[in-house]
Amino acid sequence: MNEKRMRTFLEIIYNCPFILLVIFTSIIFSLLFDETGKRKSGHETAVSQMVVEGETAGTEADDLLKKNGITTENIFGKDGESGEKTADQPRQEEKIIQNAGKRKGKDDKIENDSERKIDIEKNGNAGKTGKTEKRATEFVEYEPIATDSRYYSDAGKIALTTTYDYVKENESYFNDAAFLGDSRTLGISDYAGLDGADFFCDNGMTIYKLLGDDGVTYQKTGEKVDMKEILQEKRYGKIYIMLGMNELGYGDTPMYLRQYLKVIRQIQEWQPGVIIYVMANLHVSLEKNNMETEFNNININDKNVASARLANGKDVFYLDCNPLFTDEEGYLQADLTFDGVHLYAQHYDKWRDFLFEHGVEKDGKDTSQ
C-alpha cells in the first residue's frame, strides 16, 4: 500500500514540473534569505555603490575616507542599514519623539552626553605616560529607531569630542584662525570676543555653498569674498568649520558627508599643515524639534555623526559643545535660547571657554606661533 502511494506521488511530481520548480525555489530562498526576507549577504555592496556613485567629488571623498580608515561599514553599520522603516520595525511616534532628544546607551540607561565624555576621558584612554592616546572620535551607541525620511536616518550613536591631549589656550591662539559657518558661527563672531580670528559666515550658509562662486561674508569688512581665493592667498594655522543646519532638508546624509570630505580635502591642499576643527551642530529645543519635518535632533545628530567620521586625531578634530547647552534629554535648554535654535548673547562665553580648552599643539609648539 505504501509503495503504491509512493509511486502515485512520484508520478504526480514527474507530470507536474511546476511543483518541482516551487520546491527548488523554496530551497534556494532558504539558503539566501533569512526569516525576515532580508538577503543574508551582499547588502553592503549596494550601500557602497550609493556612497561612491556620481560626480568626481564622490571618488575623491572615498580616497580620504580610506586614508582615515573609514569604511562603508563604519558609516552605515555592519549590514549597511540606512534606517528605513521595515515591516518588523513599525514607526512608533512616542519613541521617535523620545529619541529626538534622548540617546539610549548600551546599558539601556539615558545619560547626559557630558557624563559620558567625562567617563571616557577619565577611564578610557590613559596610557602608561598618563597622557591621552591620540585617536579618532569615540562613539557611544544607543538603540536607533526607524525613520521614513529620505534625508536622514537615526545614526544609533553619538560622536564625542575627539580624544586628545588638548592644551588650554587664550585669545592669542586664534590670531591665525578662520571660522567658516552659518548663523551659529555668526553668534561666535559677535559675542565670543575672538577678535583676532577671521570669520567667514552667513545666515543660510551650507557646505555646498562654502567654496562656491557666490562667496561668503568676511565679518571684519562686511563684504562678500571668494573663499577659494582667501584659502589660497592667506595662510591659517587652524580652521574651524560648523555647517549642517541648513542642509537638514537638502540631500541626504551620505551626500552631505561626501561634500564635507571634498571641502576638507580641498582646504588641506590649499593650507598644508593646517589644523581643522569640525564643530558639531547644536541641538534644538524641545519646542523647536519637529518630527513632522527634517528639522529635528535625530537629523542633526545624523549629520554630526557623519562629520565626526572625518576626525583622525592628528590634524582633523571633532568638537562637540552640545553638553554645555543641552538638558539631560539632549534638547537645547529653553532658557538659553530665544528661538529654540540660537543662544542668547551672554551664553557665548561658555562656547569661547570650550574652544580655549581644546587647543592643539603640533610638534610641541603652539600652532599659533
Side-chain angles (χ1 to χ4, degrees):
M1 185 69 175
N2 289 337
E3 291 182 1
K4 183 177 181 181
R5 288 181 178 177
M6 179 61 68
R7 284 197 303 271
T8 302
F9 176 72
L10 292 176
E11 287 174 0
I12 291 173
I13 292 179
Y14 179 79
N15 292 309
C16 298
F18 176 75
I19 296 178
L20 291 175
L21 179 61
V22 171
I23 295 173
F24 179 76
T25 303
S26 300
I27 294 173
I28 296 298
F29 187 88
S30 64
L31 292 174
L32 295 180
F33 297 85
D34 61 18
E35 65 277 4
T36 65
K38 288 187 177 180
R39 189 163 184 170
K40 294 182 179 179
S41 62
H43 186 73
E44 187 175 342
T45 302
V47 177
S48 300
Q49 291 175 348
M50 177 186 69
V51 175
V52 301
E53 282 178 354
E55 65 277 13
T56 306
T59 303
E60 293 176 350
D62 261 12
D63 293 340
L64 186 55
L65 280 171
K66 293 177 181 178
K67 181 180 178 181
N68 288 342
I70 304 169
T71 66
T72 302
E73 178 176 313
N74 296 144
I75 299 172
F76 298 104
K78 185 174 181 181
D79 297 320
E81 295 288 348
S82 63
E84 295 180 356
K85 186 167 62 175
T86 59
D88 59 329
Q89 285 183 305
R91 180 170 179 172
Q92 301 176 9
E93 290 298 331
E94 291 184 0
K95 190 174 182 182
I96 289 176
I97 293 173
Q98 182 186 59
N99 273 20
K102 293 183 178 180
R103 293 294 176 259
K104 197 169 185 180
K106 293 180 180 179
D107 58 355
D108 276 352
K109 289 179 63 178
I110 300 298
E111 299 175 346
N112 186 279
D113 289 355
S114 60
E115 293 175 352
R116 286 173 177 151
K117 290 179 63 176
I118 291 172
D119 182 64
I120 288 181
E121 289 172 359
K122 284 184 176 179
N123 306 315
N125 301 307
K128 293 181 179 179
T129 63
K131 292 187 176 181
T132 315
E133 179 186 354
K134 298 179 182 179
R135 61 172 60 184
T137 302
E138 297 276 0
F139 295 87
V140 176
E141 296 183 357
Y142 63 89
E143 181 184 350
I145 55 92
T147 67
D148 56 5
S149 173
R150 62 189 181 92
Y151 297 103
Y152 69 93
S153 63
D154 191 335
K157 62 190 70 178
I158 302 169
L160 306 182
T161 292
T162 302
T163 302
Y164 190 80
D165 286 329
Y166 295 107
V167 177
K168 189 171 184 178
E169 305 288 352
N170 55 37
E171 288 88 346
S172 64
Y173 180 75
F174 300 91
N175 290 342
D176 67 343
F179 285 77
L180 317 179
D182 50 31
S183 59
R184 264 89 172 275
T185 308
L186 270 172
I188 298 176
S189 175
D190 291 340
Y191 306 117
L194 304 178
D195 297 333
D198 286 344
F199 283 84
F200 303 92
C201 42
D202 283 303
N203 290 321
M205 181 53 59
T206 71
I207 195 70
Y208 306 104
K209 298 192 295 185
L210 184 65
L211 302 181
D213 295 333
D214 292 338
V216 186
T217 301
Y218 180 36
Q219 295 303 312
K220 287 183 178 179
T221 65
E223 298 178 351
K224 289 278 188 179
V225 296
D226 189 330
M227 283 309 303
K228 298 187 295 297
E229 294 181 2
I230 295 294
L231 291 172
Q232 292 178 77
E233 294 173 0
K234 184 170 183 178
R235 183 67 181 272
Y236 291 102
K238 65 275 300 185
I239 292 178
Y240 294 78
I241 307 174
M242 184 167 56
L243 292 166
M245 290 298 291
N246 299 303
E247 294 88 334
L248 295 181
Y250 181 83
D252 57 14
T253 300
M255 177 180 171
Y256 170 78
L257 175 60
R258 288 198 299 268
Q259 183 63 18
Y260 218 130
L261 283 162
K262 181 182 178 182
V263 168
I264 285 184
R265 182 167 183 168
Q266 186 62 78
I267 291 175
Q268 289 175 324
E269 179 181 331
W270 290 336
Q271 300 276 324
V274 71
I275 297 296
I276 296 177
Y277 293 94
V278 175
M279 298 175 67
N281 291 284
L282 280 184
H283 291 182
V284 296
S285 68
L286 175 60
E287 182 180 3
K288 200 70 175 181
N289 190 76
N290 189 343
M291 296 308 303
E292 298 302 318
T293 70
E294 279 65 50
F295 199 80
N296 58 70
N297 285 335
I298 291 181
N299 195 0
I300 293 172
N301 184 63
D302 196 33
K303 301 298 185 290
N304 282 345
V305 167
S307 61
R309 297 287 186 187
L310 307 179
N312 56 25
K314 298 177 181 178
D315 55 6
V316 182
F317 299 84
Y318 176 75
L319 299 181
D320 180 19
C321 67
N322 271 292
L324 298 175
F325 306 113
T326 54
D327 59 27
E328 63 181 6
E329 294 183 341
Y331 296 107
L332 181 61
Q333 296 178 43
D335 60 340
L336 302 181
T337 175
F338 58 90
D339 62 356
V341 179
H342 302 89
L343 297 174
Y344 284 117
Q346 64 266 32
H347 300 301
Y348 280 93
D349 59 344
K350 291 183 180 180
W351 206 328
R352 178 197 61 213
D353 293 343
F354 175 83
L355 296 176
F356 282 175
E357 293 168 358
H358 290 83
V360 172
E361 296 182 358
K362 296 177 60 179
D363 300 325
K365 297 181 180 180
D366 190 331
T367 55
S368 64
Q369 296 178 350

